[in-house]
Amino acid sequence: MNKKKRVVLALGGNALGNTLPEQMAAVKITAKAIADLIEEGCEIVITHGNGPQVGMVNNAMIALTHENPKQPNTPLSVCVAMSQAYIGYDLQNALREELLNRNMPEIPVATMITQIRVDENDPAFQSPSKPIGEFVDAQQAKAMEEKYHYIMKEDSGRGYRRVVASPKPVEIIEIGTIRTMVDAGNLVIACGGGGIPVIRQGNHLKGASAVIDKDFASCLLAKELDADYLIILTAVEKAAIHFGTDKEQWLSDVSVEEANQYIQEGHFAAGSMLPKVQAATDFAASRPGRTALITLLEKSRDAIQGKTGTMFHA
Ligand code: ADP
Ligand code: MG
């Protein structure tokens, strides 16, 4: 009998939606895609982004401080922790229900609140780049800069969003527990929102004001768990070169060498497709036999069968 393929599955924004009711609806579709992969014989470990959710939690906590001066400001690291629990809660329930509906053998589903160590000297702390929260127009962006001292940036022609520091993940603090649960056959949700960023101060872990990119955190987790696949599910079926131009060319199969060349030529937008391609390339290059895929949530079964998506290999 073939050994199960171990897959780290990174869920993008479209797998979760932007509001509470949207997320409740989106996780049902997401759970179907995950159950499809389990039926294909994959052992799944789930990670996810949290851009809209961490922005929402952060705004809510700021409103609380404005309303009641006795409530001090909530650090961004705590907002990430809250978003992990909120997203994990919806995913756990949707997965449980979908597995029961399909009469699949019972798989325990659990979310691991995960901290990830970052380097306090990471240059990313000096130049915030990661968009979080909702899109606003130029006028609203200006008002938010003045009122909350946020740094607002234009995001891929879709409007303005707040940007925060996005340091690289260095070490997954709870990796031992995650590995134990995965090895025991549990369906684990970990490193949500890229993990809670922390800095080591002796024996103390201090929360950092940042949001780690979930694509890089997922790559680190996939390496640490010695996964066979890193699958990054997003809003496009494939990555493209000359994206959005009349020379656009969708990529089906790329070697690490080709991917590095396309990255250098600037084909992938920073903060959206670039971290995915970098994470996919890094994982594929890290050990022979490791494969990365970027595709659409609804196409994950087809992609693992080699029918679609952009595949990265050594
Ligand atoms: P996620 O929430 O899944 O991380 P993002 O919005 O951050 O999704 O990134 C996916 C988006 O990246 C796509 O919807 C697409 O608009 C954009 N994108 C930028 N450059 C490219 C490219 N070269 N090929 C494909 N998509 C690209
Ligand atoms: Mg993203």
Side-chain angles (χ1 to χ4, degrees):
M1 207 182 96
N2 278 346
K3 193 178 154 283
K4 278 190 179 178
K5 290 184 202 119
R6 182 171 283 187
V7 176
V8 168
L9 191 69
L11 304 175
N14 66 330
L16 300 169
N18 292 303
T19 61
L20 273 83
E22 270 182 35
Q23 179 168 302
M24 189 63 94
V27 290
K28 290 197 165 65
I29 298 162
T30 302
K32 287 191 200 316
I34 295 168
D36 283 350
L37 289 177
I38 297 172
E39 279 184 346
E40 286 292 309
C42 298
E43 179 188 65
I44 304 293
V45 184
I46 301 163
T47 67
H48 59 80
N50 72 347
Q53 295 82 1
V54 76
M56 178 180 77
V57 171
N58 193 222
N59 285 344
M61 299 317 284
I62 286 172
L64 174 71
T65 304
H66 274 253
E67 217 166 78
N68 179 358
K70 283 191 195 142
Q71 290 281 357
N73 191 38
T74 307
L76 199 50
S77 52
V78 176
C79 297
V80 174
M82 290 174 168
S83 77
Q84 284 187 349
Y86 154 54
I87 295 167
Y89 164 52
D90 274 355
L91 277 174
Q92 279 175 212
N93 279 330
L95 284 164
R96 180 180 174 275
E97 193 173 324
E98 184 63 28
L99 296 175
L100 284 172
N101 287 347
R102 291 190 190 200
N103 289 316
M104 286 169 74
E106 203 173 304
I107 306 174
V109 187
T111 301
M112 184 71 212
I113 298 298
T114 315
Q115 303 175 87
I116 297 192
R117 187 168 67 79
V118 298
D119 179 354
E120 65 180 313
N121 298 314
D122 191 311
F125 282 108
Q126 307 311 320
S127 50
S129 65
K130 169 125 189 82
I132 63 164
E134 77 269 77
F135 288 94
V136 296
D137 63 27
Q139 207 180 344
Q140 288 168 299
K142 200 160 180 289
M144 287 166 87
E145 278 176 336
E146 281 162 14
K147 193 168 171 194
Y148 300 129
H149 307 290
Y150 285 174
I151 302 167
M152 306 293 292
K153 270 192 195 152
E154 217 279 324
D155 184 1
S156 325
R158 296 177 288 189
Y160 288 78
R161 284 175 97 184
R162 181 184 174 197
V163 289
V164 298
S166 192
K168 291 283 180 298
V170 177
E171 177 192 0
I172 301 166
I173 304 296
E174 287 79 14
I175 189 65
T177 314
I178 296 168
R179 194 178 284 125
T180 303
M181 292 200 292
V182 172
D183 287 347
N186 295 357
L187 179 50
V188 181
I189 302 156
C191 302
I196 304 160
V198 294
I199 289 161
R200 195 187 288 289
Q201 294 180 332
N203 287 338
H204 177 66
L205 296 174
K206 185 182 186 298
S209 185
V211 176
I212 301 168
D213 200 297
K214 67 102 175 43
D215 300 315
F216 296 132
S218 306
C219 175
L220 179 59
L221 180 66
K223 288 184 197 169
E224 287 286 330
L225 293 177
D226 197 17
D228 304 295
Y229 283 87
L230 168 64
I231 305 185
I232 301 178
L233 298 181
T234 185
V236 283
E237 189 165 335
K238 296 179 181 192
I241 50 172
H242 304 292
F243 180 68
T245 73
D246 50 11
K247 284 202 292 179
E248 184 174 79
Q249 194 188 322
W250 299 101
L251 302 168
S252 298
D253 193 293
V254 283
S255 67
V256 166
E257 218 169 49
E258 287 166 327
N260 280 327
Q261 191 189 328
Y262 296 148
I263 290 170
Q264 273 199 342
E265 290 169 359
H267 288 287
F268 312 112
S272 60
M273 191 47 72
L274 181 62
K276 295 183 207 322
V277 174
Q278 285 173 326
T281 307
D282 182 354
F283 181 70
S286 63
R287 187 170 288 176
R290 290 181 176 174
T291 305
L293 280 166
I294 296 177
T295 196
L296 201 60
L297 175 74
E298 293 82 355
K299 298 281 178 177
S300 40
R301 186 193 286 240
D302 287 348
I304 197 109
Q305 293 176 347
K307 293 180 188 159
T308 189
T310 304
M311 185 197 277
F312 299 74
H313 53 81

